[in-house]
Amino acid sequence: MPRFTPGPTFYPSPRDAAAAPAEKLAYVAAFARPADRPDALAVLDVDETSATYGEVVGWTELPNVGDELHHFGWNACSTALCPTAAHPHVERRYLVVPGIRSSRIYVIDTRDDPASPRIVKVLEADELGKRAGYSRPHTVHCGPEGIYVSALGGHGEEGPGGVAILDHTTFEVRGAWEADRGDQYLAYDLWWHIGHDVAVTSEWGTPSMLENGVVPELLLANKYGHRLHFWDLRKRRNIQTVDLGAQHQMVLELRPAHDPRKQYGFVGVVVSTEDLSASVWLWTREGSEFAARKVIQIPAEPADAADLPPALQPFGAVPPLVTDIDLSVDDRFLYVSAWGTGELLQFDVTDPEHPRQTGSVRLGGIVRRTPHPAAPDVALSGGPQMVEVSRDGARVYVSNSLYGAWDDQFYPDGVGAWVAKLDVDPQAGGLTPDERFFPHDADFRGRRVHQIRLQGGDASSDSYCFP
């Protein structure tokens, strides 16, 4: 039966979302790198009062091998309350889970038994390819008129990558979103300033540039993505491209302000080919045009070549490799994952032009291998990679795998699998690892772990139409 009232986890404003009840479960993409067994969706107990807190309490195994689960998202969220395109009949019930290697998309129902979600639909690669012209689905966002799925590749060819739209209710592929892409070719993330009819996309690379690891010749020739694209959201037309500079390679995660009155946001850049630093950029609207400027730079850390993987030995340093960022729902704290050096940094961005570092936690890292306090004798591989922040901003969850082939390049002795939770000081900032919460390795049954989604929504799930 359709709903005739809004879903209970839809919030008109960021303020309402932050005041909502805390999450009880977290969903984690768990993938088998050798493709010798199916990937799975793991369910973690994140209820601090529970006897199984910090444990894997649910496991939904997929029916195929070779998917490589990566990013995923909810079918519907708070955009359903936007006055221009309200959909009160939908609810935050289904997780839309793409396989980045297989180009399949799974629809997984969490409503009847949230700890044991079940697969209700599978879209094969040809459905995405023939109807939208895309492959390698990457990021899923619930929008006001459908489900937006960014894709890295074209159907049967390298590109262009872009955005496909899925129906809210049937999950059928409607088609490609773009009406006029201009010269946009590379793709990665998608977000928007929904009240201003503006969309933003970023750039990584085509499938052949990614699926076997970083291609050194392409990186040193500055061939990976280095631009932001701004779009008319309703007309689906590329209206402006901002180039961050060819040396700023791999422009990845987009995090716009949650306050719908604001037109600014942050984007992370993985590496500079000039000095191996990583950076975070702020985009703003200045009159009728958008501009971007670097507001955070994280330097590479010198290291003995003997301690480095072959890919980094010629450089004698560890690049931070900023591969994810996340912005708290109140737009106060920005979290930056430096996967290479094994650090999660927290910045107060109340003044977005001048971020101020307020916290840092070291876990893993290519050289440091910093252990978790819960297991001080275990040298960790990987580092804080995917970051998710609770709606109230009090909890931050991180997982440690980036992408199968890239894991193998930078952590050739194995990346392992772990998820950590960090508690936030809401007044002064600061991060503290929760010693009770450290599911790792065998808990994930031989899989690596990537993106995390929180029950009821999280800081990177929703956008809002009211302040």
Side-chain angles (χ1 to χ4, degrees), residues 63-67 69 97-106 122-125 128 137:
N64 302 290
V65 296
D67 289 310
L69 299 188
V97 185
I100 195 170
R101 285 188 178 267
S102 67
S103 296
R104 291 188 189 94
I105 300 176
Y106 297 88
V122 181
L123 298 174
E124 294 293 342
L128 180 64

Side-chain angles (χ1 to χ4, degrees), residues 216-231:
E217 296 79 12
L218 295 178
L219 179 65
L220 295 176
N222 295 330
K223 295 298 186 182
Y224 287 92
H226 46 86
R227 303 190 298 172
L228 290 175
H229 300 278
F230 296 88
W231 306 72

